[in-house]
């Protein structure tokens, strides 16, 4: 199940109202969400229609963002949201910074439980960006599950490597057919 499918509609409407959205708009969103039906086709067979009891249509990014809009309020680390993806990061100088980041990951897990959301830990990665040679492995977890350490990650279609090299990004960009970027500057 995708995050868009898990949003409890009543909680979403409450959050939207608490944001100060005009009550007429809240009613309009309620009418948009409630009473939706769905069915599936497998091979040539079409299932019976059933009511959709939770979630928002996947094109409804604004409704989803309204639902997760409060995720950052208790965080000390920086969090960036893009639809149903997020990145949490902070500059680590000492053990206290590592503890603060872990505390924010704990808060993320608590938020997910409170808001009936699931975190896809199989897509989660821990990565350290530095040119220094560090031997200690990263040891961060969410909801009791260790986040695997990675040497690179993709963020907004940009490959970021832990050693701050752009080599993987350059290879990726060159291999993409029809996606080459040419820039001409005139002085």
């Amino acid at each position: 199940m995708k995050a868009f499918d898990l949003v409890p509609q009543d909680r979403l409407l409450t959050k939207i109202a608490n944001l100060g959205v005009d009550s007429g708009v809240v009613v309009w969103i309620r009418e948009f969400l409630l009473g939706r039906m769905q069915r599936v086709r497998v091979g040539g067979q079409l299932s019976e229609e059933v009511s959709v009891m939770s979630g928002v249509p996947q094109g409804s990014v604004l409704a989803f963002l309204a639902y997760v809009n409060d995720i950052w309020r208790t965080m000390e680390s920086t969090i960036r949201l893009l639809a149903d993806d997020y990145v949490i990061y902070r500059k680590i100088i000492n053990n206290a910074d590592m503890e603060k980041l872990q505390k924010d990951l704990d808060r993320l897990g608590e938020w997910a439980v409170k808001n009936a959301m699931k975190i896809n830990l199989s897509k989660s990665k821990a990565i350290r960006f530095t040119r220094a040679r560090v031997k200690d492995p990263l040891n961060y977890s969410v909801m009791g599950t260790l986040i695997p350490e990675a040497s690179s990650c993709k963020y907004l279609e940009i490959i970021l490597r832990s050693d701050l090299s752009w080599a993987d990004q350059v290879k990726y960009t060159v291999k993409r057919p029809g996606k080459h970027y040419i820039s001409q500057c005139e002085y």
Side-chain angles (χ1 to χ4, degrees):
M1 239 183 199
K2 298 241 182 215
F4 285 87
D5 300 325
L6 298 172
V7 174
Q9 295 169 340
D10 57 334
R11 284 192 197 161
L12 170 62
L13 294 168
T14 300
K15 286 186 175 197
I16 290 173
N18 289 341
L19 288 172
V21 173
D22 181 87
S23 62
V25 174
V26 175
V27 169
W28 179 79
I29 294 171
R30 181 180 174 279
E31 295 299 319
F32 171 70
L33 292 175
L34 301 181
R36 290 184 301 121
M37 305 292 283
Q38 70 181 17
R39 59 183 171 178
V40 296
R41 181 184 308 271
V42 177
Q45 300 292 332
L46 196 59
S47 73
E48 295 292 321
E49 281 190 336
V50 295
S51 294
V52 177
M53 303 307 289
S54 67
V56 296
Q58 288 206 1
S60 305
V61 174
L62 190 58
F64 183 79
L65 288 176
Y67 189 72
V68 299
N69 187 48
D70 60 350
I71 197 170
W72 57 270
R73 292 185 187 196
T74 61
M75 301 274 180
E76 287 187 53
S77 302
T78 303
I79 185 165
R80 298 284 183 234
L81 301 170
L82 179 65
D84 61 342
D85 291 326
Y86 58 89
V87 175
I88 299 174
Y89 62 93
R90 79 176 299 116
K91 184 175 184 177
I92 304 294
I93 296 173
N94 53 38
N95 286 344
D97 291 327
M98 291 189 296
E99 291 168 9
K100 287 177 183 176
L101 181 55
Q102 180 57 58
K103 185 69 175 164
D104 285 338
L105 292 169
D106 294 341
R107 288 181 182 121
L108 175 67
E110 292 164 5
W111 180 92
V113 169
K114 177 182 173 187
N115 288 278
M117 297 298 285
K118 292 182 181 168
I119 298 171
N120 188 345
L121 294 173
S122 68
K123 290 185 176 181
S124 300
K125 296 179 182 182
I127 188 165
R128 172 188 295 136
F129 296 103
T130 182
R131 290 194 187 271
R133 295 185 188 255
V134 181
K135 295 180 182 175
D136 297 332
L138 295 176
N139 191 25
Y140 295 109
S141 63
V142 174
M143 300 170 65
T145 301
L146 185 67
I147 302 171
E149 187 169 356
S151 60
S152 67
C153 65
K154 191 184 263 189
Y155 181 64
L156 301 177
E157 291 298 310
I158 298 173
I159 299 172
L160 303 171
R161 281 185 23 175
S162 60
D163 64 0
L164 304 173
S165 167
W166 289 103
D168 293 346
Q169 177 62 34
V170 170
K171 286 180 200 172
Y172 172 75
T173 302
V174 168
K175 286 183 181 180
R176 292 178 69 192
K179 297 289 183 181
H180 297 278
Y181 302 98
I182 300 171
S183 177
Q184 177 179 338
C185 296
E186 293 183 23
Y187 297 97

